[in-house]
């Protein structure tokens, strides 16, 4: 089952996922584009100079340290180990606002329907919905909240400034 939702021209769609997410090293590398944790990504970059791999940002990773490589990365995936862990929201917001990341920003891990609207406000444009959940149902979660009071990546002005 493929549970990847992407925003394409502002519209949420279910799409085929060409990327393979590896959380730890294996004996051989699978074919096709890979999403790797920071240590594996750096290892592959140093050994064979490949710049086509995506990066998996885990909750304890400092996104500010990615500055030198941001132009080279085709995709950044942010790990949500639990729906209760909100560090990924902050990482996404920093990547989009402070660091100016414009590439694909994907939420992976414990990604559920109720989170998608808030993730979108933080700058995510792709969502790998948990495998045991329906991606079709999760699409409804992107409709989300009709009025936002605070600022976000999508609307940087708080409500009182929009009047």
């Amino acid at each position: 089952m493929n549970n990847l939702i992407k925003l394409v021209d502002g519209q949420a769609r279910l799409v085929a996922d060409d990327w393979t997410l590896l959380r730890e090293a294996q004996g051989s590398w699978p074919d096709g584009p890979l999403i790797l944790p920071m240590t594996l990504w750096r290892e592959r970059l140093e050994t064979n100079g490949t710049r086509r791999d995506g990066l998996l940002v885990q909750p304890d990773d400092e996104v500010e340290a990615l500055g030198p490589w941001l132009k080279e990365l085709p995709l950044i995936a942010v790990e949500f180990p639990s729906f209760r862990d909100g560090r990924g929201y902050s990482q996404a917001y920093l990547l989009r606002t402070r660091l100016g990341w414009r590439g694909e920003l994907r939420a992976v891990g414990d990604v559920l329907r109720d989170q998608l609207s808030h993730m979108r406000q933080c700058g995510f444009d792709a969502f790998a919905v948990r495998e045991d959940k329906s991606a079709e149902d999760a699409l409804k979660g992107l409709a989300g909240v009709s009025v936002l009071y605070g600022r976000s990546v999508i609307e940087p002005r708080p409500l009182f400034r929009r009047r």
Side-chain angles (χ1 to χ4, degrees):
M1 182 192 309
N2 192 348
N3 277 0
L4 182 64
I5 299 171
K6 282 180 87 171
L7 297 176
V8 180
D9 298 325
Q11 299 295 315
R13 304 182 196 289
L14 289 173
V15 297
D17 189 4
D18 298 329
W19 294 85
T20 302
L21 175 61
L22 294 179
R23 296 183 196 288
E24 54 190 46
Q26 298 178 347
S28 64
W29 299 103
D31 292 332
L34 304 175
I35 302 172
L36 304 170
M38 181 71 76
T39 54
L40 290 178
W41 186 84
R42 283 188 177 163
E43 178 184 310
R44 271 185 49 112
L45 184 63
E46 290 170 6
T47 57
N48 56 352
T50 184
R51 300 183 192 283
R52 65 182 178 97
D53 295 327
L55 178 65
L56 175 65
V57 174
Q58 296 173 322
D60 290 332
D61 292 341
E62 296 292 330
V63 294
E64 291 88 352
L66 300 177
W69 299 292
L70 285 178
K71 291 182 181 175
E72 302 168 8
L73 286 166
L75 175 146
I76 296 176
V78 177
E79 176 80 39
F80 285 84
S82 166
F83 72 91
R84 295 180 303 256
D85 191 334
R87 293 176 284 180
Y89 294 100
S90 299
Q91 290 169 323
Y93 189 80
L94 288 172
L95 281 165
R96 290 291 194 210
T97 58
R98 248 185 236 166
L99 299 173
W101 171 252
R102 296 291 166 241
E104 181 178 326
L105 187 56
R106 181 183 295 191
V108 299
D110 198 13
V111 177
L112 304 170
R113 171 186 170 165
D114 295 347
Q115 300 167 290
L116 299 188
S117 178
H118 297 294
M119 288 176 171
R120 184 175 184 184
Q121 296 301 317
C122 291
F124 287 99
D125 57 3
F127 314 89
V129 178
R130 215 168 73 185
E131 287 294 322
D132 63 331
K133 301 295 180 186
S134 166
E136 290 85 7
D137 183 54
L139 279 170
K140 298 172 192 167
L142 282 170
V145 183
S146 61
V147 177
L148 296 171
Y149 294 105
R151 64 173 127 193
S152 71
V153 170
I154 295 171
E155 176 53 75
R157 298 171 300 150
L159 183 62
F160 72 91
R161 296 268 188 228
R162 289 181 250 160
R163 294 181 184 214

